[in-house]
Amino acid sequence: MKILVVDDHALIREGLRQVLRGLENDVDVLEAGSCARAFELAQQEPELDLVLLDYHLPDMNGLEALDVFGRQHPALPIIVLSGSVNPRVMQQVMQKGAAAFLTKSGMSDELLSVTRLVLAGGIHMPALPRIMGDEVTMAELPSSLLTPRQEEVLQLLLDGYTNKEIGRMLYLSEETVKNHVSSILRNFGVTTRTQAVLAANRHGYAGTGRPQMAPDDAS
């Protein structure tokens, strides 16, 4: 497993490296102190599994970096880290396709839990406070409605389940779930799972409220 940590403070990079070692014994943590170096490493390491990206970097902010990663490595999941909680930034980061947004003041256990979820193909939606007069603009729901099965998949997607977990819960193959997710993305006119979740929330869809599967059950 290869994870790229992008932060301009060496002490924070080292701290994240120590925490990420809790994922598994052979995790390989790469470090970059700038976005430019991060893009170089991402090109050099095609087997990269995840990026932990600081929002505030000297050469580029997190939104700009997400754009570059999205163009060059669209399948690479990214967790954005920030030292402050700004509702507008949180909304923008998730709209840009980040798999998760976490604050640096969070606990190590939370980082590991969210990292495991993202590595398994899931997304972590932060609590996004409503900003008066600055609502997120999402694609309008198209005339073609979701099928009942697609709505079931969407509801579990809203709960943060991975494709594998959704397949087990609905007795579907993982490939079938991927096809349903692709159809959901097309219906909402978006390109990422995160954008689909945000669009679904805007149009009144809600999760099932079921508890997350235990780690042993999700493997």
Side-chain angles (χ1 to χ4, degrees), residues 42-76:
Q43 292 287 359
Q44 297 169 8
E45 301 288 343
E47 297 180 356
L48 200 62
D49 296 294
L50 175 69
V51 175
L52 267 63
L53 174 69
D54 182 25
Y55 182 83
H56 299 284
L57 289 162
D59 57 339
M60 189 178 294
N61 69 34
L63 295 179
E64 295 169 324
L66 284 169
D67 277 337
V68 176
F69 275 119
R71 291 194 303 269
Q72 298 181 353
H73 310 280
L76 182 61

Side-chain angles (χ1 to χ4, degrees), residues 3 5 58 105 109 136 186:
I3 298 177
V5 173
S105 60
D109 287 347
V136 179
R186 286 195 299 272

Side-chain angles (χ1 to χ4, degrees), residues 63-182:
L63 295 179
E64 295 169 324
L66 284 169
D67 277 337
V68 176
F69 275 119
R71 291 194 303 269
Q72 298 181 353
H73 310 280
L76 182 61
I78 299 176
I79 297 176
V80 174
L81 304 175
S82 176
S84 60
V85 180
N86 183 313
R88 182 178 300 176
V89 169
M90 293 167 67
Q91 289 176 330
Q92 292 173 333
V93 162
M94 299 308 290
Q95 274 188 286
K96 286 289 186 179
F101 179 97
L102 292 173
T103 63
K104 293 181 180 179
S105 60
M107 302 296 290
S108 298
D109 287 347
E110 179 187 15
L111 174 60
L112 288 176
S113 175
V114 171
T115 299
R116 290 189 179 99
L117 173 66
V118 171
L119 286 170
I123 58 175
H124 173 72
M125 295 294 298
L128 297 175
R130 181 182 294 274
I131 304 174
M132 295 188 64
D134 188 30
E135 294 184 2
V136 179
T137 301
M138 302 302 295
E140 291 298 323
L141 191 64
S143 56
S144 57
L145 300 177
L146 299 176
T147 67
R149 179 59 88 182
Q150 289 169 355
E151 288 192 343
E152 287 182 307
V153 172
L154 176 58
Q155 287 172 344
L156 294 173
L157 197 65
L158 288 166
D159 281 335
Y161 290 109
T162 66
N163 288 350
K164 182 177 180 180
E165 291 169 339
I166 293 172
R168 292 180 63 179
M169 296 171 74
L170 298 181
Y171 303 101
L172 300 173
S173 69
E174 190 169 353
E175 186 63 32
T176 298
V177 174
K178 288 181 181 179
N179 290 336
H180 283 313
V181 171
S182 296

